[in-house]
């Protein structure tokens, strides 16, 4: 181990031990990256991604039937998300439909920027209740600060590698934080713990927005049945925690009261577009 690495060890350890946050379900999270910096990095990543796709003509116009359907569902969910975490009222909540018929995926970045792919809608053929479960699950990842947590884990892993004294030229290569945020939100798998948490928060969020909690179970059944060009990307970015469907089926009856109440009157919250 070099002198430099030895010198850094206690300081880094202090940071690692001290940097903890608590998720909405009460779980302790590693927080080397603040939520605010995850939001800033995500915003940059989002503008790049969507700008590129727009140039390629791959963003559905907001007047399209599919985009209107997605907007309507998302607006009801965002109203509940803000209710659940009032601090998110100043997030730049927005959703786009990306025209990629082969991609079965959806995501929500830190800060509330969301997207769903036409492949998910065409191949899954979800009911509104099921599509709401997808979006609510994604929103829950953002509400539970999973982006900052995953960025923290990525950084801590690199720090761990450095501390082990195996720091090579190659591992010193750093990714920009925006690129890291984008990769984590769009391509990299969540942990199974984060998945369980997003399932738990998502089904409640959807019920409170007036969407049938039983659709959380049928959604995952449909997701598993989607075949064709291999498993949907959604399943690789959202690895299934043990007994996912059983746990959701157990939670569903507890959510019925929220659902019944919201069906009568579910408020909406208007959302922005990235280019507005
Ligand atoms: Zn997930």
């Amino acid at each position: 181990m070099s002198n430099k690495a030895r010198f850094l060890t206690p300081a880094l350890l202090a940071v690692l031990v001290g940097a903890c946050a608590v998720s909405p379900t009460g779980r302790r999270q590693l927080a080397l990256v603040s939520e605010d910096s995850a939001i800033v990095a995500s915003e940059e990543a989002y503008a790049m991604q969507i700008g590129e796709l727009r140039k390629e003509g791959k963003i559905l116009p907001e007047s399209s039937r599919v985009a209107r359907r997605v907007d309507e569902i998302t607006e009801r969910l965002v109203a509940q998300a803000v209710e659940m975490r009032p601090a998110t009222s100043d997030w730049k909540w927005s959703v786009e439909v990306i025209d990629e018929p082969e991609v079965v995926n959806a995501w929500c970045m830190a800060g509330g920027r969301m997207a769903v792919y036409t492949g998910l809608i065409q191949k899954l053929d979800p009911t509104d209740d099921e599509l709401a479960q997808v979006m609510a699950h994604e929103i829950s990842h953002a509400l539970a600060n999973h982006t900052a947590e995953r960025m923290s884990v990525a950084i801590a892993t690199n720090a761990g590698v450095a501390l082990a004294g195996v720091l090579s030229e190659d591992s010193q290569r750093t990714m920009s934080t925006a690129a890291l945020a984008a990769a984590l939100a769009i391509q990299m798998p969540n942990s199974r713990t984060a998945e369980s948490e997003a399932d738990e928060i998502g089904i409640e969020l959807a019920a409170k927005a007036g969407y049938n909690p039983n659709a959380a179970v049928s959604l995952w059944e449909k997701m598993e049945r989607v075949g064709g060009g291999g498993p949907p990307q959604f399943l690789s970015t959202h690895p299934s925690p043990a007994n996912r469907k059983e746990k959701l089926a157990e939670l569903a009856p507890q959510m019925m009261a929220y659902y019944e109440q919201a069906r009568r009157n579910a408020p909406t919250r208007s959302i922005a577009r990235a280019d507005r």
Side-chain angles (χ1 to χ4, degrees):
M1 195 183 276
S2 74
N3 284 335
K4 197 178 169 201
R6 201 174 301 139
F7 172 72
L8 281 173
T9 308
L12 255 172
L13 277 178
V15 169
L16 288 168
V17 172
C20 256
V22 177
S23 82
T25 60
R27 181 174 59 83
R28 284 166 65 83
Q29 295 174 302
L30 180 63
L32 296 179
V33 175
S34 71
E35 184 171 43
D36 284 349
S37 34
I39 290 173
V40 170
S42 299
E43 180 63 27
E44 195 185 322
Y46 183 83
M48 268 156 42
Q49 291 272 342
I50 295 297
E52 208 46 51
L53 289 162
R54 202 179 292 282
K55 264 190 255 162
E56 294 168 24
K58 285 185 175 172
I59 300 293
L60 286 195
E62 58 185 288
S63 57
S64 72
R65 196 179 51 80
V66 174
R68 284 212 315 271
R69 180 184 176 208
V70 169
D71 279 3
E72 207 181 293
I73 292 171
T74 309
E75 288 182 343
R76 279 163 63 173
L77 293 170
V78 169
Q80 294 309 316
V82 171
E83 190 76 21
M84 206 179 257
R85 253 196 84 186
T88 64
S89 66
D90 55 8
W91 281 14
K92 291 177 183 165
W93 292 102
S94 74
V95 67
E96 299 290 351
V97 182
I98 300 173
D99 193 10
E100 301 242 33
E102 291 308 312
V103 180
V104 179
N105 206 2
W107 41 260
C108 178
M109 292 182 173
R113 297 298 205 183
M114 284 169 265
V116 56
Y117 294 75
T118 48
L120 186 142
I121 293 162
Q122 288 168 15
K123 290 185 194 283
L124 234 55
D125 191 22
T127 61
D128 280 2
D129 291 308
E130 288 165 345
L131 188 52
Q133 298 294 337
V134 174
M135 301 313 287
H137 177 94
E138 292 309 312
I139 289 171
S140 301
H141 277 305
L143 285 181
N145 196 20
H146 288 161
T147 308
E149 184 181 13
R150 289 156 81 200
M151 289 172 83
S152 299
V153 170
I155 289 166
T157 310
N158 281 335
V161 168
L163 286 173
V166 292
L167 185 65
S168 68
E169 280 302 305
D170 190 49
S171 63
Q172 268 176 327
R173 211 174 34 190
T174 52
M175 231 173 159
S176 84
T177 48
L180 181 60
L184 290 172
I186 299 167
Q187 295 157 5
M188 305 290 283
N190 279 283
S191 70
R192 284 177 168 74
T193 313
E195 281 307 302
S196 298
E197 202 164 74
D199 279 351
E200 205 178 305
I201 303 168
I203 193 171
E204 182 176 330
L205 203 62
K208 287 178 170 171
Y211 294 104
N212 193 332
N214 293 315
V217 181
S218 58
L219 163 75
W220 289 102
E221 279 165 358
K222 277 190 180 175
M223 198 68 86
E224 284 165 358
R225 276 203 304 268
V226 166
Q233 192 177 358
F234 196 84
L235 290 184
S236 57
T237 51
H238 300 76
S240 191
N243 314 317
R244 159 173 269 153
K245 276 184 295 179
E246 290 79 351
K247 280 187 186 151
L248 287 167
E250 233 175 78
L251 282 170
Q254 302 166 39
M255 300 297 143
M256 276 320 225
Y258 293 134
Y259 168 54
E260 293 298 345
Q261 196 187 347
R263 274 172 82 186
R264 291 191 286 273
N265 177 31
T268 61
R269 185 182 175 90
S270 64
I271 49 172
R273 290 268 153 190
D275 56 352
R276 268 191 218 148

